[in-house]
Amino acid sequence: MRSSAFAHPNIALVKYWGKSRDHPSHLNIPTNDSVSMTKESINTAESGIDLITHTTIDFSDQYDKDMGFLKSDDDLVPFTEIQMKRILKVVDALRKIAGSSLRFKMMSQNKFPTAAGLASSSSAFAALATCVSNALGLTLDNVELSKYARLGSGSASRSLHGGFVCWNKGDSHDTSYAEQICPCNEFNISAVIAVINRDEKAVSSDIGQETAHTSVFNPVKIREAQKQAVEIKKAIQNDDFTTVGQISEKSCLYMHSVMMTSDPPLFYWNPNTLKVIKAVVATRNQFLHTYKTIKKGIDQKEKDGIECYFTVDAGPNIHCLCRTEDLDEVQLMLQGIGIPEKNTVRVRQADYGSKVVDQHLF
Ligand code: PMV
């Protein structure tokens, strides 16, 4: 009973940060709804980053224990005990509904840096839920599977779907699930990721968010996120890039304010993160200034600057959000501040989140 899956990571536009303390912590019920775009990379050859996770799992009575390995191009490393615990949360829940006691061998490959703020856990647990369910002969749809991916990593629930996705916080295992807001390419937005650091972060997001409740700003962030989720869904459906960009930036800053004021404080940014953020704001201000002054009818090529916005997850890397036709210009802007093309990833919307595939890793 072997099955494999591909999954794409997602970038949160309205962020999740912190589990509800009114529910058992293993359920990963969040404090607020969150909204994301499932993403795939365009310039994989130049950046060496392909935003996809490939996972294979095999259940068989020939295994006497559960085994999991992280594969890279030249290495195969067993998952640590802590990583296996997270993997087992998903597998055990699905084994239970399948009524199976078979042990497994599992292998997973991220074609991009793991745990470096590029949302590897979102694609990893989405791929896992998909191939486990298929290998065990279950026929769960992606909304249902999002509940199981959530048990491994909250953000993974959103990576079950392509395009734009909302994770409804809910108040139980059954009501906390992710659903698609609209498929890819119905809303014009892309991104360039400025990859500041490919190293594994010091504090993983699942550990970091355990202290979110200690920040005095947390209740405000939760309240605002609920409103932002409603507004951004409308803006996505109305193809309103400006509103989506503005909300995304605010949500990012609210989340990092909570991180920085938690006990102990968490600083995921580094000086280069701020340098990119300032460049994004400056080039947008230039755009807004010239846009206001050019008269109607003047060729849009006359415009200066770019309408772009930033968002940053739990790491130093920045997503510069822009309209698809502005990708080249955003990349040039980043080159202008010393971020070479090999350290940028051009990102477009992915048409699927997670799917079963025929290619197996073993
Ligand atoms: O799902 P986790 O535990 O990796 O947390 C992800 C949190 C952020 O990426 C920072 C925000 C989000 O909503 O994806």
Side-chain angles (χ1 to χ4, degrees):
M1 294 156 86
R2 184 175 57 157
S3 173
S4 296
F6 283 163
H8 292 295
N10 65 78
I11 175 67
L13 304 174
V14 172
K15 309 286 189 192
Y16 144 65
W17 191 252
K19 299 174 198 179
S20 159
R21 300 175 83 219
D22 299 334
H23 303 95
S25 109
H26 73 275
L27 289 179
N28 275 355
I29 308 286
T31 48
N32 57 261
D33 295 351
S34 54
V35 173
S36 61
M37 173 182 114
T38 305
K39 61 187 179 181
E40 64 184 19
S41 34
I42 307 171
N43 61 333
T44 51
E46 294 86 353
S47 64
I49 289 176
D50 187 2
L51 293 172
I52 200 158
T53 298
H54 184 187
T55 302
T56 298
I57 196 155
D58 182 37
F59 290 91
S60 162
D61 55 14
Q62 66 167 327
Y63 305 125
D64 55 10
K65 62 177 180 41
D66 296 325
M67 293 170 287
F69 302 89
L70 183 63
K71 184 177 160 33
S72 61
D73 287 341
D74 45 15
D75 219 354
L76 194 62
V77 182
F79 282 113
T80 62
E81 209 176 306
I82 294 176
Q83 289 167 328
M84 276 307 277
K85 255 192 178 163
R86 281 177 85 178
I87 290 165
L88 283 168
K89 281 187 186 179
V90 178
V91 180
D92 282 343
L94 288 166
R95 262 196 296 223
K96 193 170 169 194
I97 54 172
S100 169
S101 55
L102 290 173
R103 301 290 182 186
F104 66 82
K105 177 178 169 186
M106 174 266 210
M107 207 177 277
S108 190
Q109 180 170 30
N110 291 324
K111 301 189 177 177
F112 58 102
T114 300
L118 292 170
S120 56
S121 64
S122 65
S123 49
F125 287 102
L128 181 68
T130 298
C131 64
V132 170
S133 158
N134 190 54
L136 292 174
L138 297 169
T139 49
L140 306 177
D141 65 20
N142 281 347
V143 168
E144 198 58 27
L145 278 177
S146 74
K147 302 174 188 173
Y148 294 92
R150 185 195 71 235
L151 301 175
S153 154
S155 58
S157 63
R158 299 186 308 247
S159 268
L160 263 299
H161 309 283
F164 297 89
V165 183
C166 179
W167 172 18
N168 303 304
K169 69 182 175 82
D171 58 8
S172 64
H173 176 67
D174 254 356
T175 54
S176 185
Y177 58 83
E179 60 187 348
Q180 193 178 57
I181 302 166
C182 78
C184 81
N185 301 332
E186 289 194 2
F187 166 50
N188 182 359
I189 192 170
S190 292
V192 182
I193 312 175
V195 183
I196 302 296
N197 193 335
R198 294 173 192 234
D199 297 343
E200 204 166 310
K201 55 198 170 200
V203 183
S204 69
S205 38
D206 61 314
I207 300 292
Q209 46 190 312
E210 280 175 12
T211 54
H213 67 279
T214 62
S215 166
V216 291
F217 296 126
N218 200 39
V220 179
K221 179 247 162 198
I222 294 169
R223 189 192 67 212
E224 291 303 305
Q226 281 310 106
K227 290 190 220 154
Q228 288 168 332
V230 174
E231 284 165 21
I232 208 166
K233 277 194 267 186
K234 263 193 239 148
I236 288 170
Q237 280 156 344
N238 293 335
D239 198 15
D240 178 355
F241 174 74
T242 302
T243 302
V244 170
Q246 288 170 344
I247 294 175
S248 301
E249 261 189 23
K250 279 229 163 66
S251 171
C252 160
L253 291 172
Y254 292 169
M255 178 182 77
H256 283 274
S257 304
V258 168
M259 291 166 165
M260 291 181 200
T261 51
S262 290
D263 188 12
L266 270 172
F267 301 101
Y268 282 111
W269 296 0
N270 70 25
N272 279 333
T273 311
L274 201 52
K275 184 170 152 185
V276 174
I277 287 177
K278 284 185 161 188
V280 167
V281 174
T283 193
R284 181 175 72 236
N285 285 344
Q286 204 177 352
F287 167 82
L288 292 175
H289 178 73
T290 48
Y291 190 75
K292 270 185 209 145
T293 49
I294 52 175
K295 287 192 195 95
K296 235 184 169 180
I298 288 185
D299 188 337
Q300 276 297 297
K301 283 188 193 116
E302 297 283 319
K303 82 176 165 63
D304 207 1
I306 316 153
E307 188 176 11
C308 52
Y309 298 86
F310 64 84
T311 185
V312 186
D313 270 349
N317 304 321
I318 305 101
H319 281 67
C320 307
L321 305 169
C322 63
R323 292 189 176 90
T324 305
E325 58 273 26
D326 289 334
L327 276 171
D328 286 346
E329 274 191 76
V330 171
Q331 200 156 24
L332 281 175
M333 180 270 289
L334 291 171
Q335 277 172 20
I337 57 161
I339 315 268
E341 186 179 357
K342 67 177 173 49
N343 289 343
T344 60
V345 187
R346 292 156 74 101
V347 161
R348 65 175 166 230
Q349 303 162 26
D351 67 342
Y352 71 89
S354 182
K355 67 175 182 191
V356 171
V357 293
D358 286 337
Q359 298 103 300
H360 303 295
L361 287 173
F362 62 92

